[in-house]
Amino acid sequence: MPIEFVCKIKFAEGGDTVGQRPVPVPQVCPGAGGVPLTAGMAGEESCGRSSGVANLRTFAGASTLHGIDHVLGSGRAGVRQAVWALAFVASLALFLYQAAKSAVAYLEHPHVAALGEEAGGRDMLFPAVTLCNVNRFRFSALSDADIYHLANLTGLPPKNRAGHRPADLQYPPPDMLDIFNRTGHQLEHMLKSCNFSGQNCSANDFSVVYTRYGKCYTFNGNKTSPKRARQGGMGNGLEMMLDIQQDDYLPIWRETNETSLEAGIRVQIHSQDEPPYIHQLGFGVSPGFQTFVSCQEQRLTYLPQPWGKCRATAEQVLPGYDTYSISACRLSCESAQVMAECNCRMVHMPGDAVICPPSKIRCVDKALASLQKSDGDACPCETPCNVTRYGKELSMVKIPSRGSARYLSRKYDKTEEYIRDNFLVLDIFFEALNYEKIEQKKAYDVAGLLGDIGGQMGLFIGASILTILEIIEYIYEVIKYKIKRLFRPHKTQRGQGQNQNQNRTQGLQNHADQSLRTQLTDGTIATVRLEDVKANEVGEITLAHQQGVYPTSVLPNHHHHHHHHHLRHIHHQQTQQDFSY
């Protein structure tokens, strides 16, 4: 049996139902410390901006960077924040300026030279001593063929002036190594006495070496068993008496590039690791004097690139030499230049090429002159990173004295005049058993750069390495958040779809209310059957199910009974309101 309820419904004026106006619920951004969304913004966009500001303020408050919390920590900008911002920017600018100056100074790679003197110990390695007679060929040792072949070097005519013409002479090609070895001054004839550290020495303690002066001799040139000085001072080194044999010097008929006008010997003091370059680095010793040479060893250490321009010892050595040195480099360059222009080499140059005959002496002189006039690019000889050289102080006295001239004349069966013109004494010794150390050092290294930047960072902005890590971590978090937003578009679209469904449902409900409001006027009595009420109840329950408003303690099937009582209570209240009017 259908039951019919009759009720009077009165609608409130103004378009909205009393008690049904929606109350906006503020949404909270996740991960932003409870920051509400800003009105007028899309949800995710507002969350992004608000959380970014909040995180920046949180970073400013927790960071060890001084001053930034006073700029960004408070909510509203004011005079105080402006002053702090100006001070922070000025300090940051000063720090960057000083840091840039330090970086530029480091990139210039400056260096300084440190000079010191160190003890050499109980003994010291004695240097190599190379000596040459300034006369290359002994006139008495030259044959007719030698004079004929050496005419371009010596400028001498044939010995037999009344003999054959030069065009009629037939001689075999010259062997220049044999000529230099045979006609040069022999040390066993020049050396009259020798003493090293109180022990006698002889010509056997010297080795033959060839230079621009021809056949020369080196004392203590052996690298495997070098001699050592056990004490400094005069008489504790190498002392020798030499006869330069002026009577056997070549007569000068005409001047050539190889003509020598002086008499005496050339001496070079060098290390065992470098060949003699005596024509440029040697010093002269004159007959008729005793020359004292006080030496001090100097050990030089240069810096490689980019602080210096030295050549590391690990680099490839030059062909023909065991170790690299400037002298070896120059001799190699000269040999290469002469080989390129004349297809031969001089007797003192390294290599396996044939020795240039005297007929090519003009070609050799031209090649060496062109190499000397070059700006250095043709022969770039870098300084080795470790160099040993010897500083020298020379002094001399005249010999022989009147009393000793007669004694030396009887001892060596020479005239007193010959003794004065040909004899000399050379005394080479260490001033002391110590050495001078000259070392290039980095004036500004990485430790100094980091120390300066760290001090300036602490002075101007109160930061450290850990502060930089904090900033990097904050930037990393911001980038990670942006990337996550970039790669999550489907979640945003899903949320927008749910919002559209809710808006569509709300629109349908508002449309139904508006239709009912237009159909019923004030005071109209509507008849609602129970079947309609039940249908409505089912629709409302379904809508409630969609919105998820189940109590946690009520099952979905139990919700109908509770909703019937709720509807009856609403109808009862509405009837009482109608009766009150």
Side-chain angles (χ1 to χ4, degrees):
M1 179 176 180
I3 300 174
E4 184 176 17
F5 292 95
V6 179
C7 61
K8 185 178 180 180
I9 301 174
K10 184 177 180 180
F11 293 91
E13 297 179 358
D16 292 330
T17 308
V18 178
Q20 301 297 322
R21 180 171 299 176
V23 180
V25 179
Q27 301 180 12
V28 180
C29 297
V35 178
L37 284 174
T38 307
M41 289 187 180
E44 195 164 345
E45 180 183 0
S46 178
C47 276
R49 296 183 183 177
S50 301
S51 61
V53 173
N55 288 337
L56 184 58
R57 290 176 181 173
T58 304
F59 169 76
S63 175
T64 57
L65 187 64
H66 291 187
I68 192 172
D69 55 334
H70 296 282
V71 179
L72 301 175
S74 59
R76 299 181 61 184
V79 178
R80 179 175 176 274
Q81 287 76 12
V83 173
W84 273 105
L86 182 62
F88 178 78
V89 172
S91 300
L92 182 62
L94 288 174
F95 160 68
L96 293 177
Y97 172 72
Q98 294 295 334
K101 284 184 61 178
S102 301
V104 170
Y106 173 77
L107 293 177
E108 291 178 354
H109 303 292
H111 63 268
V112 294
L115 177 63
E117 190 170 310
E118 299 185 11
R122 299 178 58 182
D123 56 7
M124 287 184 62
L125 179 65
F126 197 77
V129 179
T130 299
L131 56 94
C132 304
N133 199 313
V134 294
N135 183 64
R136 301 164 193 241
F137 308 103
R138 289 180 295 126
F139 184 68
S140 60
L142 294 177
S143 64
D144 291 344
D146 296 335
I147 293 178
Y148 172 76
H149 290 306
L150 298 177
N152 292 332
L153 291 174
T154 62
L156 294 178
K159 273 190 174 181
N160 187 3
R161 299 180 61 183
H164 302 286
R165 293 178 300 176
D168 298 335
L169 300 176
Q170 296 293 331
Y171 295 112
D175 185 356
M176 295 303 300
L177 184 60
D178 174 71
I179 293 176
F180 276 108
N181 190 34
R182 178 170 45 83
T183 64
H185 289 269
Q186 307 301 317
L187 184 62
E188 55 269 18
H189 298 153
M190 290 196 303
L191 188 63
K192 298 303 180 182
S193 66
C194 180
N195 183 281
F196 178 76
S197 295
Q199 297 181 357
N200 292 331
C201 53
S202 64
N204 296 328
D205 296 312
F206 292 77
S207 59
V208 177
V209 61
Y210 293 95
T211 69
R212 288 287 295 271
Y213 288 101
K215 189 177 183 180
C216 302
Y217 306 91
T218 299
F219 176 81
N220 197 30
N222 191 356
K223 298 180 182 180
T224 58
S225 58
K227 299 182 181 296
R228 306 182 70 89
R230 296 180 176 85
Q231 193 174 355
M234 186 174 58
N236 296 297
L238 176 63
E239 183 177 359
M240 52 187 171
M241 178 180 289
L242 296 171
D243 179 7
I244 65 172
Q245 302 173 339
Q246 279 200 70
D247 292 346
D248 224 0
Y249 275 32
L250 290 177
I252 298 177
W253 289 83
R254 60 184 179 88
E255 290 189 17
T256 64
N257 290 334
E258 306 298 327
T259 301
S260 177
L261 302 178
E262 64 270 10
I265 62 173
R266 296 278 292 183
V267 181
Q268 182 183 356
I269 302 174
H270 56 93
S271 68
Q272 286 80 9
D273 294 330
E274 60 177 321
Y277 203 61
I278 196 168
H279 64 284
Q280 289 193 4
L281 302 179
F283 61 92
V285 179
S286 175
F289 292 93
Q290 181 174 359
T291 304
F292 302 95
V293 183
S294 175
C295 299
Q296 184 179 29
E297 182 178 337
Q298 296 175 344
R299 299 180 184 179
L300 289 80
T301 302
Y302 297 96
L303 290 174
Q305 294 283 356
W307 289 272
K309 297 181 179 180
C310 73
R311 179 189 177 103
T313 54
E315 296 184 15
Q316 186 178 4
V317 297
L318 300 172
Y321 299 99
D322 297 334
T323 57
Y324 175 83
S325 63
I326 297 180
S327 299
C329 177
R330 291 179 179 176
L331 288 172
S332 298
C333 290
E334 291 177 358
S335 177
Q337 185 74 14
V338 173
M339 185 67 187
E341 296 190 16
C342 307
N343 199 23
C344 60
R345 66 179 179 90
M346 297 184 72
V347 66
H348 65 281
M349 294 179 178
D352 299 330
V354 297
I355 300 176
C356 297
S359 59
K360 291 188 176 182
I361 190 62
R362 293 182 180 179
C363 176
V364 172
D365 292 340
K366 182 180 178 182
L368 295 179
S370 63
L371 182 63
Q372 188 175 4
K373 292 179 181 179
S374 64
D375 54 358
D377 295 337
C379 185
C381 292
E382 299 174 333
T383 303
C385 293
N386 296 289
V387 180
T388 300
R389 69 184 185 187
Y390 297 90
K392 300 174 287 292
E393 292 182 2
L394 276 69
S395 60
M396 59 188 66
V397 294
K398 184 175 177 57
I399 62 165
S401 62
R402 292 181 180 180
S404 63
R406 189 176 299 109
Y407 167 77
L408 293 176
S409 175
R410 291 195 303 267
K411 181 178 180 179
Y412 295 109
D413 195 19
K414 302 290 182 180
T415 64
E416 295 182 11
E417 183 179 2
Y418 183 91
I419 298 294
R420 293 188 181 95
D421 293 339
N422 294 275
F423 276 47
L424 60 87
V425 177
L426 180 63
D427 193 356
I428 302 174
F429 55 90
F430 278 130
E431 181 181 356
L433 291 184
N434 56 23
Y435 60 90
E436 191 177 36
K437 188 175 182 180
I438 304 175
E439 183 179 5
Q440 282 187 351
K441 294 184 176 181
K442 300 174 184 178
Y444 200 54
D445 54 2
V446 177
L449 174 65
L450 294 179
D452 287 348
I453 292 180
Q456 294 157 4
M457 187 185 299
L459 174 65
F460 289 110
I461 58 177
S464 64
I465 297 294
L466 299 180
T467 307
I468 298 177
L469 294 179
E470 291 176 358
I471 297 174
I472 294 175
E473 182 184 12
Y474 173 72
I475 295 174
Y476 167 75
E477 293 294 337
V478 171
I479 294 175
K480 184 175 71 173
Y481 173 73
K482 297 293 185 183
I483 292 176
K484 284 185 176 180
R485 287 188 59 191
L486 220 62
F487 289 96
R488 289 192 308 177
H490 57 282
K491 295 185 178 180
T492 304
Q493 294 175 1
R494 186 189 308 167
Q496 291 177 357
Q498 293 178 358
N499 293 335
Q500 290 176 1
N501 292 335
Q502 294 177 1
N503 294 336
R504 189 181 299 109
T505 304
Q506 185 68 26
L508 292 175
Q509 185 177 359
N510 294 338
H511 180 70
D513 292 343
Q514 184 67 25
S515 300
L516 184 60
R517 194 180 296 117
T518 54
Q519 293 175 6
L520 299 177
T521 59
D522 189 14
T524 303
I525 298 176
T527 301
V528 182
R529 295 184 181 276
L530 184 59
E531 290 84 2
D532 299 335
V533 174
K534 289 182 178 180
N536 291 337
E537 288 175 359
V538 173
E540 290 175 0
I541 292 171
T542 304
L543 180 60
H545 289 180
Q546 292 177 356
Q547 296 178 354
V549 293
Y550 288 131
T552 58
S553 61
V554 180
L555 294 175
N557 294 334
H558 296 166
H559 189 68
H560 295 278
H561 180 70
H562 172 73
H563 197 71
H564 288 316
H565 286 286
H566 180 64
L567 287 176
R568 291 193 186 100
H569 181 67
I570 291 175
H571 286 298
H572 179 68
Q573 288 181 352
Q574 185 66 38
T575 306
Q576 289 180 354
Q577 289 178 2
D578 293 338
F579 290 155
S580 64
Y581 283 101

